[in-house]
Amino acid sequence: MASPSVLLRLDDVTLSFGARPLLEHVQLQIEETERVCLVGRNGEGKSSLLRLLAGMAMPDEGTVWIRPGVRVAYLVQDIGVEAEGSVESIVAGQAYDPCDADAWQLQDRTRLTLQRLGLDGTAAFATLSGGWRRRVLLARALVSEPQVLLLDEPTNHLDIEAIEWLEQLMLGFRGALLFVSHDRAFINRLATRIVELDRGALASWPGNYNRYAALKAEAN
């Protein structure tokens, strides 16, 4: 039985890429209001783990559990340079049907999210810089009002001002956050816990990156 504060969990999960195991019988749980940074060497499987939690992949063994009713949103690392359409259509992710009450609610949330993130809904997505495209895709993730937000290298293509803006936005996010980043300053300001992926195993460390590095050094 999961704790009432647990939003999602991996139970004894194994995932392989070809003959290489990315995850070997791992356990992980994310609780309400946590901001967890997933760290590890390139190619260890961090993006694959996020895809599991986003429901975009299935484990070879084990269970991915998400609390019923919990919405999970995922910001991928690839900014989708081939995407076409207006910023508003990209953020909404679907066409509006004026006869559908849910579509009207989505339209209202989309407009509010565009305003909050300083986006011009009429702009063509294909004409935007990498930083502004990432902001649009973040808006698309937020418009569903998720309880869990998964971010894969969210500071890619962002300048210092945009990174500071993202930090403040994420510090004000009321749900749980699981993110992958190589930006140590960003991790230090945001993370409440570090989860390290190393050769198929997960290890959890409390606090930000500096505390994780200190505790790991003591453990060794």
Side-chain angles (χ1 to χ4, degrees), residues 25-149:
H25 302 287
V26 301
Q27 310 286 335
L28 176 68
Q29 64 181 34
I30 305 296
E31 300 188 9
E32 296 172 349
T33 74
E34 279 198 294
R35 297 192 299 272
V36 180
C37 182
L38 178 64
V39 301
R41 292 185 296 268
N42 288 336
E44 285 289 328
K46 301 185 297 297
S47 294
S48 296
L49 190 153
L50 292 186
R51 287 174 58 83
L52 280 178
L53 294 174
M56 299 173 67
M58 297 293 292
D60 299 326
E61 299 178 36
T63 303
V64 179
W65 179 87
I66 300 173
R67 185 199 295 177
V70 165
R71 292 184 298 276
V72 178
Y74 178 34
L75 175 65
V76 298
Q77 186 176 159
D78 183 0
I79 59 174
V81 294
E82 301 302 323
E84 297 182 356
S86 69
V87 166
E88 184 172 3
S89 68
I90 296 294
V91 171
Q94 68 179 63
Y96 297 129
D97 180 351
C99 298
D100 187 335
D102 290 338
W104 281 107
Q105 292 174 7
L106 172 62
Q107 189 173 30
D108 287 341
R109 291 199 309 271
T110 298
R111 288 174 176 171
L112 286 172
T113 304
L114 291 172
Q115 183 178 17
R116 182 184 179 195
L117 272 63
L119 294 167
D120 177 4
T122 64
F125 181 79
T127 66
L128 300 180
S129 67
W132 281 102
R133 289 184 183 187
R134 184 153 294 275
R135 192 178 291 215
V136 170
L137 296 182
L138 179 60
R140 183 170 67 179
L142 291 171
V143 79
S144 65
E145 298 181 337
Q147 286 84 28
V148 180
L149 187 56

Side-chain angles (χ1 to χ4, degrees), residues 12-27:
D12 198 28
V13 164
T14 293
L15 178 69
S16 298
F17 182 74
R20 182 189 171 205
L22 299 177
L23 302 170
E24 290 191 276
H25 302 287
V26 301
Q27 310 286 335

